[in-house]
Amino acid sequence: QVRLVESGGGLVQAGGSLRLSCAASGIIFSINDAGWYRQAPGKQRELVAAVTSGGITNYADSVKGRFTIVRDNAENTLYLQMNSLKPEDTAVYYCNAIAGLLRRYYWGQGTQVTVSS
């Protein structure tokens, strides 16, 4: 059974930093594509950052240069380092993994990030 558990969200002032963590069980990040999504109130869930099984990263234009996705293969944990946070980064952030021949999507429960101005 696949389980993704996020942590590290919270309240931070604009310009501050947070690091989100996603611990996985039942799935191995290093051999699957994974990423972070976010969903703000009244908006659709959007991709923030992703990393392929081969280590190629991709970022939303709105976070390029500020966020970094890191995969720790030894700990089987996915991180999202978020710097220079802005109020518009406020959202629930979800960890995601894509696995199996059918490329099934797995999701964590989400962690709230609130950036005050």
Side-chain angles (χ1 to χ4, degrees), residues 60-76:
D61 288 343
S62 59
V63 306
K64 281 181 181 176
R66 301 188 297 122
F67 290 12
T68 304
I69 188 169
V70 178
R71 187 180 64 202
D72 186 327
N73 294 337
E75 297 294 327
N76 201 30

Side-chain angles (χ1 to χ4, degrees), residues 60-104:
D61 288 343
S62 59
V63 306
K64 281 181 181 176
R66 301 188 297 122
F67 290 12
T68 304
I69 188 169
V70 178
R71 187 180 64 202
D72 186 327
N73 294 337
E75 297 294 327
N76 201 30
T77 300
L78 192 69
Y79 298 98
L80 184 67
Q81 178 65 45
M82 305 186 294
N83 299 329
S84 302
L85 283 161
K86 304 175 181 180
E88 51 263 44
D89 295 319
T90 295
V92 177
Y93 284 70
Y94 296 91
C95 177
N96 162 263
I98 306 170
L101 293 176
L102 298 180
R103 293 186 60 78
R104 178 179 174 179

Side-chain angles (χ1 to χ4, degrees), residues 17-78:
S17 298
L18 283 174
R19 188 178 77 158
L20 305 184
S21 301
C22 175
S25 58
I27 194 169
I28 301 173
F29 276 133
S30 63
I31 60 173
N32 293 287
D33 298 345
W36 290 93
Y37 286 70
R38 67 186 180 188
Q39 187 166 18
K43 295 187 177 181
Q44 289 189 331
R45 192 172 296 190
E46 63 175 358
L47 176 66
V48 175
V51 57
T52 68
S53 57
I56 298 172
T57 58
N58 181 46
Y59 296 91
D61 288 343
S62 59
V63 306
K64 281 181 181 176
R66 301 188 297 122
F67 290 12
T68 304
I69 188 169
V70 178
R71 187 180 64 202
D72 186 327
N73 294 337
E75 297 294 327
N76 201 30
T77 300
L78 192 69

